[in-house]
Amino acid sequence: LLEAGFGYAFGAGDALAAQLASRRSVLALTKASPFPAAPPALARAYTKRRKDLARQLRRLKGTCSLRLNTLPLERVAEELRATHAGGAGCWVSDGVAAAWAALREAGELFVFELFEGDELAGLDVAHLAGGCIYVATRCGKRRPGAALGSPGFLLASATCAWLPGR
C-alpha cells in the first residue's frame, strides 16, 4: 500500500487501515537520534517553545501528569472525533478503532495521555513500527483558563523524555 501512494497503512489481526495523501516527517529531538538534526532556524524555534513551556509549567496551579493507556479506546476515539470533526469528518473510523483494539490487545498500541489536574489536556495515539514508536494522531485540548497553552508540545516533550528508559 505504501508503494501505491498511501501515506499511512497498518494492520492488526483481520483489520487494515490505510490513508491517502499524507505527508510525514521525522525530526531529531535528541542529539543521539539517527535522524537528521533540525535546521538552525527550527532548532531556535524549539528552544523558544521549550522556554514558553517552562514558563507555562511554572505558572501551573495544580499538577500535570503523563499517563499511559488509562483511557478506554472508546473515549480515545470520541476525543479524536470531536477534535478532528472537520468537513470531511474524522479519519478514526470504526475500522481504525477495531485495528487499534487489536494492537492494544497485542501490547503494540500506546495512548499517551496528558492531564492537567483531572482534566484531559491532550493525547497521542501511537503504535510500534519497526524499532520506532509511530504517533498516528494527536488530540490537544486548549481550554479557556487552562495554564497549558501548548498541550501537544508538552505531551510530545514528556513522551520523548519518558520513552528512552523503556
Side-chain angles (χ1 to χ4, degrees):
L1 287 175
L2 296 176
E3 289 178 13
F6 284 82
Y8 176 69
F10 72 94
D14 59 356
L16 175 68
Q19 180 181 357
L20 277 172
S22 203
R23 293 192 314 194
R24 303 285 182 228
S25 62
V26 175
L27 290 173
L29 297 177
T30 65
K31 291 189 186 327
S33 174
F35 299 105
L42 191 54
R44 284 190 301 275
Y46 280 154
T47 300
K48 183 177 185 282
R49 291 287 304 269
R50 282 192 298 268
K51 288 179 181 178
D52 287 344
L53 181 59
R55 181 182 40 78
Q56 291 173 18
L57 289 172
R58 282 192 302 273
R59 290 183 183 170
L60 184 67
K61 294 174 178 36
T63 61
C64 207
S65 60
L66 178 67
R67 303 176 192 176
L68 178 63
N69 292 339
T70 64
L71 295 174
L73 284 178
E74 295 80 19
R75 166 96 187 271
V76 171
E78 285 173 20
E79 295 287 346
L80 289 164
R81 289 173 181 149
T83 301
H84 302 294
C90 181
W91 67 275
V92 181
S93 65
D94 291 341
V96 169
W100 285 354
L103 285 168
R104 186 179 255 187
E105 184 72 25
E108 296 180 3
L109 183 87
F110 309 96
V111 180
F112 297 98
E113 308 150 0
L114 177 67
F115 283 82
E116 185 178 343
D118 292 331
E119 293 289 321
L120 181 66
L123 59 84
D124 279 349
V125 178
H127 60 82
L128 296 176
C132 299
I133 299 257
Y134 176 79
V135 177
T137 191
R138 164 170 293 148
C139 167
K141 301 174 76 166
R142 293 184 183 198
R143 297 178 327 277
L148 297 176
S150 305
F153 189 74
L154 174 56
L155 183 58
S157 298
T159 301
C160 286
W162 181 81
L163 279 172
R166 306 305 176 262

